[in-house]
Amino acid sequence: MSVRFRVAPGGKLTGRVRVAGDKSISHRSIMLGALAEGVTEVSGFLEGEDCLATLNAFRAMGVRIEGPRDGRVTLHGVGLHGLRAPSEPLYLGNSGTSMRLLAGLMAGQAFDVVMTGDSSLTQRPMKRVTVPLAEMGAVIETSPSGTPPLTIRGGQTLRGIEYQMPMASAQVKSSLLLAGLYAAGRTCVTEPAPTRDHTERMLQGFGYPLQRDGATACLSGGGRMTANTIDVPADISSAAFFLVGAAISEGSDLLVEHVGINPTRIGVINILKEMGADIEVINEAEVGGEPVADIRVRSRRLRGIRIPEDQVPLAIDEFPVLFIAAACAEGETVLSGAEELRVKESDRIQVMADGLQALGIAARPTPDGMIIQGGVIGGGEVDSHGDHRIAMAFTMAALRAQTPINIDDCANVATSFPNFVGLAHGAGIRVTQFED
Ligand code: S3P
């Protein structure tokens, strides 16, 4: 089925919204809950296709899971050695997080597993995990170009390694730490820049000893996890669309509720503030080891900036919509040091530059970023290339457009934000979804 959005120009965002649950935390709640001993209760779980792919993978490996129902999931954990061989390949859809984190976990099992995905996932690079996992003793086959399907041979003896990651990737870090649960000795992963640390926090929450020292996280194999209760906060990566939408549309005043503000995820707030946005973080609290807050945004004129490179890993999923903010800002915005954007669900540098140009914005892609001149957003046709975050970013662009924006290939919005259209409509965006 093909899904298109048509978004009428103009509007403003007011009121309160609670966006979908955090995708990264939802994936990890299933993985660790399934492998813990006892019954884990999750609330606020993101019922998007990506996290459901993870959930179904564990069901296929014999874990009894109730739900999801209204964001509630009950996992009857089987312990670290309680998984059973699935009868079929694990189909992980569009989800890079499922594929890369499971690669680490599956490397330590007694059985073989094949993992595959959709046309986007089967083009994404996996050597970043399979090479260090092989160093740990894992046996994993990929396509000749290092992409899925992955065939993981069970029954290997893993050993801990010290690994210096060549890129700032939470998926690589998490994959190796999860393999480390099954390895003899100590596994230490050092990152070149801080990346989201939900795996480390949640392992500790499940009682698994893990040490952190600066950029390095270490754990030793052979431990166990005890069931836990997890309240998943709203996803700052989903909130980001509404933060930018309210910042760019005159007369907006929006409260986004109960958003996860883990310091490794708040690049979007830091960058928007530097562009001059009026953002207030209020009602800060801590829920299950993760900080949360309400975020109030009022519209204000934005200015172009050079985005500090240290913010890039902290905002890595938010650049599609930050590019829309840049298109609405006065002057030039320059992003560099973000070559990882080229290997996300789409090539987010090229696809966003093409879409911005189609709307009349001067956007010049560079190998590791983009240079955008703020200007007047026209209207017209853009293609999201099946990338959920591109589709949602261009939906927000319509708030400042002159004529309607039609966005193609939007079905994958359901991977991370199933109720996006309903919430966006309720907050003041005139978006209509067509299915054919
Ligand atoms: C994720 C890490 C990020 C991010 C992805 C989710 C995670 O990927 O882009 O959406 O849950 O660990 P990288 O770690 O590859 O940058």
Side-chain angles (χ1 to χ4, degrees):
M1 186 180 61
S2 106
V3 174
R4 285 176 297 117
F5 293 169
R6 179 181 169 85
V7 202
K12 62 181 177 179
L13 300 187
T14 54
R16 309 166 82 95
V17 284
R18 177 159 175 165
V19 302
D22 189 278
K23 184 153 75 78
S24 294
I25 297 176
S26 294
H27 279 298
R28 288 154 172 86
S29 71
I30 298 295
M31 294 178 189
L32 301 196
L35 295 171
E37 290 165 33
V39 178
T40 288
E41 302 280 358
V42 183
S43 57
F45 178 76
L46 168 61
E47 297 183 32
E49 289 169 3
D50 279 12
C51 298
L52 293 174
T54 292
L55 188 152
N56 288 329
F58 281 90
R59 266 194 186 135
M61 292 188 285
V63 181
R64 191 152 71 82
I65 305 176
E66 294 159 59
R69 206 170 306 111
D70 298 329
R72 292 190 175 273
V73 181
T74 304
L75 296 121
H76 298 265
V78 296
L80 278 161
H81 298 280
L83 296 178
R84 293 204 306 263
S87 56
E88 290 175 4
L90 301 177
Y91 179 74
L92 303 173
N94 195 243
S95 179
T97 307
S98 309
M99 179 78 71
R100 295 202 179 106
L101 271 56
L102 281 177
L105 274 180
M106 295 298 105
Q109 305 302 319
F111 48 83
D112 293 358
V113 183
V114 177
M115 301 195 295
T116 188
D118 71 6
S119 59
S120 159
L121 184 54
T122 50
Q123 289 175 51
R124 295 184 65 188
M126 293 297 146
K127 282 198 172 140
R128 54 182 57 202
V129 289
T130 60
V131 167
L133 287 171
E135 248 183 78
M136 295 177 78
V139 178
I140 305 180
E141 292 148 32
T142 67
S143 78
S145 56
T147 56
L150 301 185
T151 302
I152 303 177
R153 302 287 172 202
Q156 312 299 322
T157 306
L158 301 187
R159 52 192 173 271
I161 54 167
E162 285 188 9
Y163 189 66
Q164 184 87 44
M165 287 197 294
M167 77 284 284
S169 167
Q171 293 182 350
V172 175
K173 173 176 65 175
S174 301
S175 183
L176 302 186
L177 289 173
L178 294 174
L181 300 174
Y182 294 92
R186 212 163 150 73
T187 298
C188 290
V189 187
T190 302
E191 52 191 6
T195 67
R196 65 193 70 194
D197 64 355
H198 307 299
T199 303
E200 297 92 305
R201 287 174 187 248
M202 206 183 282
L203 280 168
Q204 288 174 329
F206 276 84
Y208 201 97
L210 175 140
Q211 298 78 40
R212 303 175 70 175
D213 181 10
T216 303
C218 298
L219 55 74
S220 298
R224 49 202 286 209
M225 291 191 284
T226 313
N228 197 3
T229 301
I230 297 174
D231 175 358
V232 181
D235 196 329
I236 192 167
S237 298
S238 298
F241 300 103
F242 289 88
L243 303 184
V244 169
I248 63 174
S249 53
E250 210 184 318
S252 291
D253 185 351
L254 186 72
L255 191 76
V256 192
E257 296 173 334
H258 200 68
V259 181
I261 53 157
N262 180 312
T264 61
R265 298 287 298 280
I266 55 169
V268 62
I269 295 178
N270 300 337
I271 293 167
L272 284 173
K273 278 188 172 165
E274 195 158 331
M275 295 176 82
D278 179 355
I279 299 184
E280 251 183 289
V281 175
I282 51 184
N283 299 328
E284 287 189 49
E286 182 152 322
V287 182
E290 291 279 353
V292 299
D294 298 332
I295 305 178
R296 182 178 185 188
V297 191
R298 281 168 282 194
S299 53
R300 196 196 268 170
R301 194 185 282 252
L302 302 181
R303 56 178 176 271
I305 59 166
R306 172 172 279 279
I307 296 173
E309 286 198 9
D310 64 359
Q311 294 299 313
V312 170
L314 312 182
I316 194 66
D317 290 336
E318 285 65 80
F319 285 105
V321 79
L322 283 168
F323 293 151
I324 301 300
C328 297
E330 233 171 60
E332 184 176 87
T333 295
V334 181
L335 172 68
S336 58
E339 57 281 346
E340 279 294 305
L341 294 180
R342 292 206 178 266
V343 290
K344 294 294 180 189
E345 287 84 328
S346 70
D347 175 345
R348 288 183 173 161
I349 292 176
Q350 193 59 50
V351 173
M352 281 304 300
D354 290 346
L356 286 168
Q357 287 165 11
L359 299 179
I361 295 292
R364 188 156 64 79
T366 63
D368 66 342
M370 183 132 49
I371 301 171
I372 298 172
Q373 303 293 337
V376 176
I377 297 180
E381 309 287 324
V382 293
D383 188 340
S384 78
H385 286 264
D387 186 328
H388 54 137
R389 299 201 195 280
I390 306 265
M392 292 186 276
F394 282 116
T395 303
M396 295 297 154
L399 287 162
R400 284 278 290 269
Q402 309 279 296
T403 60
I405 298 182
N406 295 311
I407 311 163
D408 273 343
D409 208 357
C410 300
N412 281 337
V413 167
T415 62
S416 69
F417 201 160
N419 191 27
F420 171 73
V421 168
L423 280 187
H425 203 270
I429 300 176
R430 291 184 288 253
V431 51
T432 316
Q433 175 166 322
F434 297 92
E435 293 167 11
D436 28 60

